[in-house]
Amino acid sequence: MKVFVPLDSAAVALGADRIAEAIVAQGAARGVTVQVVRNGSRGMVWLEPLVEVEVDGVRHGFGPMTLADVPGLFSDLASHPKAIGPVEAHPWMKGQTRLTFARVGVIDPLSLDDYRAHGGLVGLDRARGMTRAEIVAEVTESGLRGRGGAGFPTGIKWKTVSEAAGDQKYIVCNADEGDSATFADRMLMEGDPFCLIEGMAIAGLACGATKGYVYIRSEYPVAIRVMEAAVRIAREAGVLGAAFDMEIRVGAGAYVCGEETSLLNSLEGKRGVVRAKPPLPALQGFLGRPTVVNNVISLASVPVILAKGAAFYKDFGLGRSRGTIPLQIAGNVKYGGLYEVAFGLTLGEIVNGIGGGTASGRPVKAVQVGGPLGAWFPPALFDTPFGYEEFGAKDGLIGHAGLTVADDTVDMLQMARFAMEFCAIESCGKCTPCRIGSTRGVETIDRLARGDASALPILTDLCNTMKFGSLCALGGFTPYPVLSALTHFPDDFARQREAAE
Amino acid sequence: MLDSQDHSDRIAEILEAHQGLEGPLLPILHAVQEAFGYIPEAAVPQIAKALMLSKAEVHGVVSFYHDFRSKPAGRHVLKLCRAEACQTMGADAVADRIKRALGIGWHETTSDGRVTLEPVFCLGLCACGPAAMVDGRLVGRVDESVCAEVAK
């Protein structure tokens, strides 16, 4: 009997380890030989722990599993109370276009044979037969843009590093996924670590870099463990070696280290303080040498682009947002999880269609798109198509494609205050608009909360100063959640005034 | 409790084990904290000397990052996520109840040294919040019953 129980953090946080132990114990007690594979998550978090049992080559799902549901896996499966049928046929799975996440949840994350059997290493093999310029051109042609949030064309960044002079160049993977509502990097690293390794090895070939680092946040213990094991396995198998090798590094709880220059300082063993640009990291990055800094999903999208060609990838998407995007639907939502799809769905289709509305059953009031530095969108803007430019046109951003759904009990003044408070806690302190502005922002919103309407122009002025005067996106984008809350939910700010009067 | 000679020997071992790394300070500090549960003050000059940095530079790094402690934590460490996705699922109210149950606030340790309560901004469990980490173990859809796990 072959059983899949995810090792993914979300599944584990909901009891997957205990379920796996119980399945083994139950099998032993019944004299049934059970092979338990600890796979990644399929992304249907509301069904976790989602156990799959393979019957005649078809994987049948059961979830959310409790210990009491385990014995039922050893009798008539069709009548199991948690049966969801064949997982691949589930509407959530069928509606997706899984290019980057094709193997996540499917394979044993630490089996290189599994990885190969599911199309792994084809991209790297092809890249090995190409020149640097050809690899860069392929990635540029695919239209892939940085999935970390900035949306900078990946191929252009690679070209700069590839053509830079330097004896030693680096590929640095930014796995400091600190934004609330984002977990795609974590899921990819836990569920398909070799995909990231392959993407980095291809980047190494394209740029003439022989050394890579993955900087993973310390809040991701499972991802760290899986990636470290995968690097060892890849090295033993010769996938990594003299031509390109890599190390896993662990962050230390500083949100700002998700900003690329701050990350580089941290990697060098310094305070995670932001660097002014120029010089660009592409020219003077890690230890002052030419460095590619790419997000996990950007790098993990490269193998499929090389394997199937730029045109294949580019065919998906809309406008200048090409390919697919792993949406992370989170917060107060009925069906939360990861859903990879071509750009272009509307926000409403995502929140209500895929997400099924709120978990609480109350009306959706607002959705924050792009993490703590992203704007809050009201239902009136639910017709906005999911794309970089489309969200920018509505004074928002897609960031790392995380969505936090909130019901009508949310107080938008408090959310705006939290954005400023978070910025004050996490500011690296280098630039004044961020360091001082965030604290003044909390105070100014507190004045509004007390009914002092004269604070309103001060808040908008402060936001403008932060937006245009900050060195990086932490101070520069904190105004997005604040101003969007103010613009779209004026009642939450006005009601406080009336209460005071 | 280790005496200072033991401390310094252990730190020397850690420094030795991290030779040859590019940018070794964070891995060293993680290893020191793993060994002692915090970064002893005496470790700072020893690390500084080995890496040819000033004490101020090492202290600056230790104090910059939320993860590094300057004194030991309680026997248990309970981290509760305060980020937006967890907030929409009632994380603030859960945190308030846990604070009341434990009789402490953020960054505090119960007087019996049993548990330290810390905020964390995102554990990547945003579709099954509120999220928590109990002594390194992840917990989704957490509520105040988690206090039972740090009772001893």
Side-chain angles (χ1 to χ4, degrees), chain A residues 438-463:
Chain A
S438 52
T439 298
R440 294 288 99 89
V442 172
E443 294 164 0
T444 311
I445 294 173
D446 282 345
R447 278 174 60 186
L448 282 171
R450 290 195 299 269
D452 179 358
S454 69
L456 208 53
I458 299 173
L459 181 63
T460 49
D461 188 46
L462 176 65
C463 281

Side-chain angles (χ1 to χ4, degrees), chain B residues 55-146:
Chain B
K55 283 182 280 183
E57 282 169 308
V58 177
H59 174 78
V61 171
V62 173
S63 60
F64 182 86
Y65 295 95
H66 299 303
D67 281 4
F68 299 130
R69 304 174 193 287
S70 54
K71 56 182 196 291
R75 290 196 299 283
H76 300 286
V77 176
L78 174 56
K79 295 186 183 193
L80 298 175
C81 181
R82 282 194 63 203
E84 288 87 347
C86 286
Q87 284 186 44
T88 66
M89 292 301 282
D92 288 343
V94 170
D96 284 344
R97 289 198 289 274
I98 288 173
K99 283 185 209 165
R100 270 201 301 277
L102 297 174
I104 52 174
W106 296 122
H107 303 291
E108 291 176 1
T109 303
T110 52
S111 55
D112 57 359
R114 184 167 48 92
V115 48
T116 299
L117 182 66
E118 291 179 345
V120 61
F121 293 95
C122 200
L123 294 164
L125 305 174
C126 319
C128 54
M133 193 187 249
V134 188
D135 299 332
R137 195 174 64 78
L138 298 165
V139 185
R141 299 195 193 109
V142 76
D143 59 28
E144 51 274 32
S145 68
V146 75

Side-chain angles (χ1 to χ4, degrees), chain A residues 41-372:
Chain A
S41 169
R42 296 281 193 161
M44 299 185 279
V45 177
W46 78 96
L47 288 175
E48 295 290 359
L50 174 68
V51 169
E52 295 172 57
V53 180
E54 195 173 290
V55 184
D56 302 329
V58 177
R59 286 162 64 165
H60 295 258
F62 304 86
M65 285 287 289
T66 64
L67 290 174
D69 298 320
V70 170
L73 294 175
F74 293 85
S75 52
D76 179 31
L77 290 175
S79 62
H80 193 287
K82 298 290 174 70
I84 63 161
V87 174
E88 299 284 356
H90 193 283
W92 175 278
M93 299 305 298
K94 282 189 78 167
Q96 298 188 52
T97 302
R98 285 205 164 196
L99 303 183
T100 309
F101 280 76
R103 285 173 293 262
V104 174
V106 177
I107 62 167
D108 176 346
L110 292 175
S111 163
L112 203 49
D113 290 339
D114 254 18
Y115 183 67
R116 274 203 192 90
H118 287 81
L121 299 178
V122 174
L124 180 59
D125 285 344
R126 179 166 168 240
R128 281 182 174 140
M130 296 162 77
T131 65
R132 275 196 207 179
E134 282 168 350
I135 304 171
V136 169
E138 189 88 33
V139 173
T140 307
E141 178 57 25
S142 76
L144 178 66
R145 293 168 69 176
R147 296 285 188 255
F152 189 81
T154 306
I156 307 288
K157 193 183 275 188
W158 286 21
K159 187 168 190 280
T160 310
V161 177
S162 186
E163 292 171 358
D167 298 336
Q168 177 69 61
K169 302 179 190 178
Y170 297 99
I171 308 298
V172 171
C173 172
N174 183 346
D176 195 35
E177 184 180 46
D179 289 350
S180 179
T182 64
F183 43 85
D185 297 353
R186 176 183 66 63
M187 275 185 60
L188 191 285
M189 291 187 286
E190 292 172 354
D192 194 11
F194 295 122
C195 181
L196 174 57
I197 292 172
E198 183 181 352
M200 289 180 69
I202 294 169
L205 284 177
C207 300
T210 53
K211 180 89 203 212
Y213 289 95
V214 185
Y215 184 96
I216 309 179
R217 57 202 300 267
S218 62
E219 293 85 345
Y220 282 2
V222 179
I224 294 165
R225 179 168 52 80
V226 174
M227 281 303 302
E228 282 179 339
V231 166
R232 270 196 305 277
I233 293 165
R235 200 175 285 142
E236 281 161 17
V239 174
L240 295 174
F244 184 79
D245 208 340
M246 59 196 276
E247 275 179 44
I248 306 301
R249 288 292 175 90
V250 179
Y255 172 79
V256 75
C257 289
E259 196 282 334
E260 61 176 0
T261 61
S262 163
L263 185 151
L264 291 171
N265 274 337
S266 185
L267 204 56
E268 289 179 10
K270 299 173 183 159
R271 294 163 67 89
V273 172
V274 173
R275 299 176 184 172
K277 290 191 273 194
L280 291 173
L283 299 173
Q284 292 178 46
F286 183 56
L287 301 173
R289 294 162 176 158
T291 305
V292 166
V293 185
N294 275 157
N295 168 256
V296 174
I297 303 302
S298 314
L299 288 163
S301 298
V302 167
V304 70
I305 291 169
L306 266 290
K308 299 198 171 173
F312 168 81
Y313 191 79
K314 195 180 184 175
D315 258 1
F316 299 95
L318 96 157
R320 289 177 50 219
S321 307
R322 307 314 309 173
T324 58
I325 183 85
L327 302 167
Q328 299 128 82
I329 310 171
N332 190 339
V333 66
K334 192 171 180 188
Y335 304 123
L338 183 133
Y339 196 96
E340 182 178 351
V341 68
F343 286 96
L345 287 182
T346 67
L347 184 54
E349 286 171 324
I350 296 166
V351 173
N352 294 319
I354 301 168
T358 62
S360 61
R362 303 181 66 96
V364 175
K365 176 169 175 174
V367 181
Q368 187 177 32
V369 184

